[in-house]
Amino acid sequence: MSNESLLENLSHGNKRIVSRVISLIENDNQKSEELISQIFSKTGNAYRIGITGPPGAGKSTITNQLTKLYASQNKTVGIVAIDPTSPFTGGALLGDRVRMTEIGMNDGVFIRSMASRGSLGGLSRKAVDAGDVLDAAGYDYVIYETVGVGQSELDIVEAADTTVVTLVPESGDSIQALKAGLMEIGDIFALNKSDRPGAETAISSLKSMLQLKFHTENDWIPEVLQTIASENKGIETIAEMIDKHRMFLTETNELSLNRLKQTKKRIEDIVLEKVKLTIKSKEFNYGFKDLDTLPDQISSPVQIANYIFKNLTNNKEVDVGN
Ligand SMILES: Nc1nc2c(ncn2[C@@H]2O[C@H](COP(=O)(O)OP(=O)(O)O)[C@@H](O)[C@H]2O)c(=O)[nH]1
Ligand SMILES: [Mg+2]
């Protein structure tokens, strides 16, 4: 099928095509670059929600309940799950998996999982691209579910308009979240598993940690909520807070500004990735054959690195001999 007919048929009413297009853009080749470029011009209508947090905090459960809520309001939802332990990806307990993949049976719900096993190189970019496909297909909401433990995962939630950070009452969880940079990126904090002991203490320590963050008068002050996702408690409040944040972003024009910032960051990431691939490719001339041909005794790594860098930036072929 040509790009044109794929694009023509790309709609949330046709999950097979949605799935096919995502598979195509997962490859790195000229056709996929053309396709994702054509798709980009059709994006901007979906509202993107990032759900992140430590493993087991209840991200998938919240995603599931929130999706059910949206579906009951006749909204369509596309989910991109990047978490090898996610029930959506085939991980987790069988019961959870069955319960959570059920929502995928709904006509207006599409679930795509991308495994982050092994190398994360390029995965965050692909996950964001997959969100573009869902946006262009006309889904009202795109939800990125990602475990909040690394830079690549944080890159993905950066592509969201609203980020929900999920934590649990267990002591130290909010300290860990602080270390992982989650305090910086959360617009809404959901203290899930509030049926467990320590919820009140965790809420107050979470709130005081967030107060340490500098706010100006015009900033969004993160909302802190208690949820019991497994019992569907607090999910409507999350949805209300997402709406509230969306309204704030729209009124302050930050929605467009943030999206522009994200787009610029995506450009930068693509450039950096391409530079990296070029340097690693066999055709690239280091100034000597390749790193394997360096002498066994290396006098100064930084000197050699500088030489290679100069060679790269000058795009000159120099033979250093040895
Ligand atoms: N007690 C309790 N368990 C929950 C709650 N929310 C989710 N769980 C359970 O916690 C486990 C991990 O949830 P999951 O959504 O897969 O976490 P994720 O790794 O963050 O996606 C599952 O067995 C859920 O059923 C909650 O509010 N309270
Ligand atoms: Mg999960």
Side-chain angles (χ1 to χ4, degrees):
M1 213 184 257
S2 69
N3 279 3
E4 281 64 34
S5 53
L6 279 172
L7 285 171
E8 261 168 41
N9 291 296
L10 181 64
S11 132
H12 62 77
N14 195 340
K15 290 193 199 182
R16 207 175 46 87
I17 297 286
V18 174
S19 179
R20 175 105 174 264
V21 171
I22 295 180
S23 300
L24 284 170
I25 58 114
E26 275 180 313
N27 302 319
D28 270 312
N29 55 41
Q30 207 187 336
K31 187 178 154 111
S32 68
E33 287 194 353
E34 276 165 20
L35 191 56
I36 198 62
S37 300
Q38 289 163 322
I39 281 165
F40 185 76
S41 60
K42 294 175 173 257
T43 61
N45 296 313
Y47 197 74
R48 301 189 191 209
I49 301 165
I51 298 188
T52 190
K59 300 176 296 296
S60 299
T61 314
I62 289 177
T63 302
N64 186 45
Q65 305 284 29
L66 196 59
T67 302
K68 272 195 209 162
L69 177 67
Y70 287 144
S72 77
Q73 301 168 344
N74 288 320
K75 300 286 185 198
T76 54
V77 185
I79 301 169
V80 184
I82 309 102
D83 177 359
T85 67
S86 169
F88 301 131
T89 322
L93 301 169
L94 183 61
D96 286 330
R97 212 185 304 161
V98 170
R99 195 152 27 80
M100 289 182 211
T101 44
E102 246 173 32
I103 53 164
M105 307 297 275
N106 190 311
D107 275 346
V109 178
F110 180 90
I111 304 173
R112 180 64 166 221
S113 58
M114 297 171 115
S116 65
R117 281 185 206 90
S119 153
L120 266 170
L123 176 70
S124 52
R125 181 165 57 79
K126 292 299 172 193
V128 177
D129 287 348
D132 275 5
V133 175
L134 297 172
D135 185 343
Y139 285 94
D140 296 307
Y141 292 97
V142 171
I143 302 182
Y144 297 108
E145 184 208 323
T146 162
V147 58
V149 287
Q151 188 53 51
S152 302
E153 284 88 350
L154 296 185
D155 285 348
I156 299 165
V157 288
E158 260 188 11
D161 300 309
T162 297
T163 298
V164 181
V165 171
T166 310
L167 301 169
V168 291
E170 271 71 61
S171 64
D173 206 36
S174 40
I175 309 252
Q176 284 307 319
L178 185 69
K179 282 192 196 150
L182 293 179
M183 290 295 161
E184 301 301 316
I185 61 164
D187 303 302
I188 296 166
F189 289 83
L191 188 81
N192 192 41
K193 305 199 182 180
S194 284
D195 52 321
R196 290 197 180 165
E200 295 305 325
T201 324
I203 280 283
S204 53
S205 80
L206 188 56
K207 282 185 176 164
S208 58
M209 252 180 244
L210 286 168
Q211 267 154 18
L212 296 177
K213 246 181 85 175
F214 178 76
H215 296 292
T216 70
E217 214 182 308
N218 305 319
D219 282 346
W220 167 260
I221 311 284
E223 296 279 355
V224 180
L225 317 169
Q226 276 180 262
T227 59
I228 308 174
S230 51
E231 295 171 23
N232 202 18
K233 287 188 182 144
I235 304 300
E236 281 186 25
T237 318
I238 295 185
E240 281 163 22
M241 289 309 157
I242 291 172
D243 272 350
K244 190 177 162 194
H245 186 234
R246 182 180 192 167
M247 220 124 80
F248 168 87
L249 293 177
T250 310
E251 281 165 7
T252 55
N253 199 34
E254 272 192 56
L255 188 64
S256 342
L257 290 174
N258 287 348
R259 286 180 175 184
L260 185 64
K261 215 162 84 186
Q262 290 155 12
T263 304
K264 288 180 177 171
K265 182 156 186 304
R266 282 170 79 178
I267 296 172
E268 188 184 322
D269 287 349
I270 297 170
V271 172
L272 289 177
E273 211 178 288
K274 288 195 182 268
V275 168
K276 223 160 137 182
L277 285 173
T278 307
I279 294 174
K280 285 188 171 165
S281 76
K282 285 270 174 254
E283 294 84 47
F284 173 70
N285 188 304
Y286 283 96
F288 36 86
K289 244 169 125 190
D290 57 44
L291 285 183
D292 292 339
T293 64
L294 276 175
D296 289 340
Q297 295 286 323
I298 293 174
S299 53
S300 161
V302 71
Q303 221 172 17
I304 293 181
N306 278 340
Y307 172 80
I308 293 173
F309 185 67
K310 227 157 103 190
N311 186 51
L312 174 73
T313 47
N314 290 340
N315 197 20
K316 255 194 328 216
E317 298 203 355
V318 187
D319 194 6
V320 70
N322 51 14

